[in-house]
Structures are given as C-alpha cells and as structure tokens.
Amino acid sequence: MKITVAGVEVAFGDLPVLDGVSFDVATGEFVSVLGPSGCGKSTLFGVLAGLVAPDHGRVLVDGAPAGRETFGYMPQKDLLFPWRTVLDNTTLGLEVGGMRRREARERARELFAPFGLAGFERSRPAELSGGMRQRAALLRTVVQDREVLLLDEPFGALDSLTRTAMQEWLEEVRGRFGWTVLLITHDVREAVFLSDRVLVLSSRPAHVAREVRIDLPRPREVGVLTDPAFVAAEAELLDTLRGGTRL
Amino acid sequence: MTRADHRSRTEPGPPSSPPVPGRAGRTGRAPAPRTARGRTSLLGRVAPPVLVVLLLLVVWQGAVTALDVRPQVLPSPLRVLEQGWAFRAVLWANTLPTLQVTAVGFAVSLAVGWVLAVGVDFSPWLRRALVPLLVASQTLPIIAVAPLMIIWFGFGLLPKVLVIALVTFFPIAVGLIEGFARADPEAANLLRSMGGGRWAEFRYVRLPGALPSFFTALRIAITYAVTGAIFAEYVGARAGLGIYMAQQKNSFRTDLVLAAVAVTALVSVALFGLTYLVERVVAPWIKGARR
Ligand SMILES: Nc1ncnc2c1ncn2[C@@H]1O[C@H](COP(=O)(O)OP(=O)(O)O)[C@@H](O)[C@H]1O
Ligand SMILES: [Mg+2]
C-alpha cells in the first residue's frame, strides 16, 4: 500500500496555509513532519483525516482517492473524556464505528498490557499521569485498526524525561506491531530517533522544503543518539529549520 | 544524556516493567487532598448554616418575649413550632398537593427544556428563532400571568403546572444550551475522524459534556419550582401550601402562615439535596471533575 499526497493546497479565507504539499508514505514506514509552529502541520493532518477539504490536490491510497477510514487520527490534545473510564475512552472509535460495546471492550482490553495501562481499565482519565494519558489516546487510535496512524505532537505536552521514555516505548511497540506512522513533532531529535524519513515543511504557506532519510538500523535504542549518522541527520535538520524563514 | 537512568523513575517503561495495578502511588494527580476535603465536607457544609439559623431563631424568640409582641403580628419560633405540630395533619394534607403540582410542573418543564435545547443545538435556524423568545418569556410578569391562568384554566392542576413550567424551563434550557456549546470543537473533529456524524458528536461529546451545566441549572430551577407552585396556589387553588398560607393570613393566624413557610423551606432544601443524589447516580464522574 502506498499513500500519495499530491499538491495539496489549503487556505483559510485569505490565509494560505498549505501551498502544494506532496510526499509519499509506504506501508510500514515511519515518517515525521517537522516545521515551524503555525506552518500548517495540523492542517495537513486534517486534510489526511478527511476533516479539511483541500482547495487543490489529492490524497490517494494506491492511486485511488483516500477515504476517512484509511487514517487513525490522534489529535494534539488527548481529548480523553472525563465521563468515560479509561477503557471506554479507548473503545470510542470502535463504538462510533458501530461495534457492540462488549466486543469493543474485549479488543481494547488486549492492548492495555502492551500499552502499560493494565490495571487502569476502570480508572478515570484524571487519575492517569501525562504519559499514560498519551498512551491511552494512542490506544484509542490504534485499536481502530486503520492503515496509517496520524500522531499530532503526541509527546509535546510531556516533561522531557517522560517524553524520552515514551519515544523509546513507541519505537519498541511500533516495531512489534508494524504500524505505518506519520508523526508531527517540533523535536528534531525525536524525529530522527523514530523515523525512516523526516519531512521538513517551510514556514506558512507550507510546502515540503526538504526530505531527510534516516538510515539507522532498527530497533533503535538510546545508544543511537551518539551515532555519527544520527548526529549528521540532526544537524542537517536543525540547519534546514533555522534557515526556514529564508526558504 | 542520562535518560536510561531516569526512565524508571519518571515513566514506568511499559514493555520492560509492566505496571502494578495499584493506583495511589503512580497516578498523575494525587487524589488524597481532594478526598480528605470531601469527607469533612458534609458536616462542614451543613453545620454553619444550621448554626446561623439557630442563632437567628434564638434572637427572634428573645426579642418577641422581651418586647411582648402580639402573636398575630409576629409569633415566637416556639409558638410556630407548637402550632405547626398541633396542625400537622392539615399542614401535611396541604403539602401533598403542592408536592404533586411541583413534580408535574417540573417534569413538564424538564421535557420542554430538553426538547428546546436539543432542537436549538441541532438547528442554527431554531437557535436564531428561539433564543430571543426564551429570554423574552422571562420578562413576563408572573404576578400578572398567574391570575390570568386561573381565569383561563380554572383551579385545577393545569394553570399551576403552566406557572411552574414557565418559571423553571428557562434555566434548564439555557443551562443545557450552554452546556452543549461548551464541547471542544477538536472533540468533534476526533469523532468525525472515527467516522461519526453530528448525531455521534451529540451523543458521545455534547450530551455528556453538558451534564455538569445541566445539574447546576437543575438546582436553580428546582428552588424556583417550589416557590412557583406556592405562588400559583396562593392566587387560587383548592388545596396546597400556597392557598393554606393565604387562608391563614386572612384569619390572622400568622403562626400557621410561618409554619407553612417553614414546611416550604424544608421541601425546597430536600428537593435541592435530591438533585445531588440524582447527579451522583446519573453522572458520578462530575463530582471528581468539578472540584
Ligand atoms: N479552522 C481554521 N480556520 C482558520 N484558520 C485556521 C484554522 N485552522 C488553522 N488555522 C490557521 O492555520 C495556520 C496553521 O495552523 P496549524 O495547521 O494548526 O499549524 P501547526 O500545526 O503547524 O502549528 C495557523 O495560522 C492557524 O491559525
Ligand atoms: Mg499543530
């Protein structure tokens, strides 16, 4: 399977936000999207998730127009509902999709252990730590079994130690489950650590200013941070981002 | 970088160290202070107003005794209590119709409030059409409308139900309308990405999200409902605390008027308390979320 984003343009009123964004994602790939804040990263995900209709351009799955059911969308806010238990928050997508509650709970429950949430099924979201909330929100996305995961700054609100732990964890589970992931981040190191490819968007109106391939073996662990290839990729991305205003 | 060292302390790394299903130590927000406050709160919340009321009653009793006020003008609290007890059967016989009228009127009001609020939430046209009218309905002087209702609909249940509904549907409808509108637009996007439409958004996000605001409105409305019932009966009824007060006033039984007032207050407080009970059953999550 291949996702093709071709020449996507979006404007909100007079404000052009996306200006011909094009790239591909293949099955099993992990692609990160970096870019200055406000450049249109979340808007790009909105287009993919079918929430924002592009003015021009298309999103294709194997050459055919993509439907909403291709993408599992994890928004920037965790949006866990206080009126639902953690388990029932994670089944939301399945319930909305028409699955019976019993079956939905069974499916979600299986993921609680690998997501480090075992024992918290009946808790309320307010009882979870920041990292656990993000894992619950990710579980809610993953359990829908969509082909591509869209993760919008999933670790942006976490303290840096929790964030690093979450990055390592994501690297591990992604390898285990073989997800195809598109990740928005503003953390260069996170992008390099997790990705096969990193796309750098220009400042608004955004286009893909640069694409950097990360050729580091998987599974990756902390040691990779000092690998010369890692350092080189990081430097290249930082450089591109710093020059962002000139692009 | 020392993240490997810190990892176990900050976040339980799930695959390597599966979490123990014990909560307190590892939750994001420590619930301890909240619970502690919750436990003292019942006594802590009830005692001060009761003390103030007792104090006022003592002052009242002392003043009436010292100044030797005639009971037709102002009876002492003890006399109110004594006469109220002596006439307890009559009082009770008049409380029941008031409770009945309040219940029916409030049920009508809830139904009207919900239908209007949901309609307004789904239709922008209805919102533009109805919201100004809702506001206008509250400017009707109930003191003039209630007697007209008696003229139009007689002394039965209907005019009283209408008066109660008129004074209570507004806070309910507005509480719900605002509650629905408090939903996070991003949550609507999430639901849409899951394949849900407007109905799914309402059912999974807007409706539960409106409940805190609904219960606040319910508490305001229920107190209006009792006073509304008393007022409607005062204007004209066969039985009820309102008409009982009017009759006793006309025969200068100020003590019995005040006894009926006391019963009204007790009923209101009880119904007010009942709303917390209903909230606890319908939406137990609110308690934690609100404080
Ligand atoms: N629904 C919308 N209506 C109008 N403007 C919007 C809307 N969504 C986003 N924008 C604007 O588009 C720009 C890009 O937003 P966003 O995609 O959220 O940026 P990023 O995620 O890269 O920080 C911002 O200037 C934002 O204010
Ligand atoms: Mg964003």
Side-chain angles (χ1 to χ4, degrees):
Chain A
M1 183 220 46
K2 195 171 97 175
I3 306 293
T4 308
V5 177
V8 165
E9 290 176 29
V10 171
F12 293 115
D14 309 339
L15 183 77
V17 174
L18 298 181
D19 182 24
V21 174
S22 302
F23 60 90
D24 295 332
V25 181
T27 301
E29 253 194 317
F30 195 118
V31 177
S32 288
V33 179
L34 275 174
S37 88
C39 76
K41 302 183 293 295
S42 295
T43 304
L44 174 63
F45 271 21
V47 171
L48 293 173
L51 306 172
V52 176
D55 301 320
H56 291 284
R58 291 192 299 172
V59 180
L60 303 170
V61 180
D62 289 332
R68 217 169 254 173
E69 64 291 341
T70 306
F71 298 95
Y73 173 51
M74 175 173 167
Q76 213 162 336
K77 293 187 209 165
D78 61 46
L79 294 171
L80 296 173
F81 300 145
W83 49 86
R84 290 183 157 237
T85 61
V86 175
L87 179 61
D88 288 346
N89 264 287
T90 61
T91 59
L92 185 68
L94 298 176
E95 278 182 57
V96 169
M99 188 182 285
R100 314 240 330 239
R101 194 173 249 206
R102 270 256 308 277
E103 196 187 340
R105 282 179 173 165
E106 267 164 34
R107 290 230 336 226
R109 210 177 258 126
E110 285 169 15
L111 289 173
F112 268 65
F115 276 65
L117 293 166
F120 287 83
E121 289 85 350
R122 295 159 67 104
S123 304
R124 295 280 162 180
E127 296 169 49
L128 302 184
S129 69
M132 297 172 88
R133 289 180 73 97
Q134 291 309 118
R135 291 202 296 270
L138 181 61
L139 202 166
R140 181 185 61 200
T141 315
V142 165
V143 78
Q144 295 178 75
D145 216 10
R146 305 283 173 94
E147 283 182 282
V148 181
L149 301 177
L150 303 174
L151 313 182
D152 193 345
E153 296 195 29
F155 311 138
L158 302 175
D159 66 86
S160 74
L161 294 174
T162 306
R163 195 185 315 155
T164 1
M166 290 286 287
Q167 288 159 3
E168 290 171 64
W169 171 78
L170 182 60
E171 162 68 8
E172 197 269 333
V173 283
R174 189 203 71 96
R176 179 136 52 110
F177 290 96
W179 298 326
T180 306
V181 183
L182 261 167
L183 171 97
I184 290 177
T185 177
H186 50 236
D187 180 339
V188 174
R189 184 167 290 186
E190 174 173 297
V192 178
F193 181 71
L194 291 169
S195 308
D196 300 306
R197 271 188 299 143
V198 180
L199 308 174
V200 182
L201 296 188
S202 66
S203 54
R204 200 179 57 225
H207 59 271
V208 178
R210 191 176 196 113
E211 186 181 319
V212 176
R213 188 168 287 281
I214 316 292
D215 282 318
L216 290 165
R218 289 188 187 269
R220 295 176 190 161
E221 280 164 20
V222 206
V224 80
L225 294 179
T226 48
D227 190 300
F230 190 104
V231 178
E234 199 179 344
E236 185 179 356
L237 287 167
L238 274 173
D239 215 42
T240 313
L241 277 171
R242 258 193 227 111
T245 41
R246 280 184 279 111
L247 288 166
Chain B
M1 263 245 132
T2 52
R3 56 179 173 183
D5 313 346
H6 286 281
R7 173 181 171 159
S8 54
R9 245 190 293 157
T10 48
E11 256 318 293
S16 44
S17 54
V20 199
R23 317 224 166 134
R26 37 204 315 281
T27 53
R29 257 193 271 152
R34 237 194 295 156
T35 348
R37 211 177 348 134
R39 253 183 224 130
T40 55
S41 69
L42 189 59
L43 187 67
R45 256 183 288 164
V46 170
V50 168
L51 276 179
V52 170
V53 168
L54 282 179
L55 188 69
L56 287 176
L57 289 177
V58 167
V59 170
W60 174 0
Q61 180 77 33
V64 168
T65 316
L67 302 175
D68 201 17
V69 186
R70 281 191 308 141
Q72 289 88 333
V73 177
L74 183 65
S76 75
L78 281 179
R79 187 189 163 99
V80 171
L81 190 67
E82 181 198 331
Q83 290 301 306
W85 183 249
F87 285 81
R88 61 186 179 279
V90 189
L91 275 171
W92 180 241
N94 282 289
T95 304
L96 279 181
T98 304
L99 278 178
Q100 190 203 359
V101 156
T102 307
V104 176
F106 203 59
V108 169
S109 172
L110 276 173
V112 171
W114 272 92
V115 168
L116 287 177
V118 173
V120 161
D121 195 56
F122 272 90
S123 156
W125 189 89
L126 274 184
R127 181 183 297 269
R128 281 194 302 273
L130 289 183
V131 171
L133 295 184
L134 293 186
V135 176
S137 77
Q138 293 310 291
T139 64
L140 294 179
I142 212 70
I143 200 160
V145 174
L148 289 180
M149 297 268 192
I150 305 274
I151 294 174
W152 296 333
F153 304 112
F155 288 88
L157 200 60
L158 184 60
K160 296 169 194 68
V161 165
L162 289 178
V163 167
I164 295 168
L166 190 62
V167 294
T168 60
F169 88 96
F170 183 72
I172 291 170
V174 170
L176 277 172
I177 290 171
E178 287 180 356
F180 293 146
R182 270 198 338 208
D184 189 334
E186 311 249 0
N189 276 341
L190 175 67
L191 266 287
R192 283 208 293 148
S193 83
M194 292 169 167
R198 186 60 172 77
W199 167 246
E201 184 197 342
F202 181 78
R203 172 173 165 200
Y204 293 108
V205 180
R206 297 176 83 85
L207 179 63
L211 289 182
S213 150
F214 167 70
F215 278 105
T216 304
L218 192 72
R219 281 188 254 290
I220 297 168
I222 195 83
T223 54
Y224 287 2
V226 180
T227 17
I230 301 287
F231 183 75
E233 290 170 349
Y234 204 93
V235 178
R238 290 196 197 90
L241 286 171
I243 192 69
Y244 182 76
M245 285 179 206
Q247 288 160 353
Q248 298 312 313
K249 187 204 68 166
N250 290 341
S251 41
F252 300 100
R253 287 303 302 266
T254 314
D255 46 359
L256 289 177
V257 174
L258 289 176
V261 167
V263 171
T264 310
L266 285 179
V267 166
S268 299
V269 170
L271 289 175
F272 189 81
L274 194 63
T275 64
Y276 280 99
L277 210 69
V278 174
E279 179 184 295
R280 198 65 86 70
V281 172
V282 173
W285 57 271
I286 292 178
K287 196 173 181 298
R290 184 130 53 196
R291 310 221 162 88

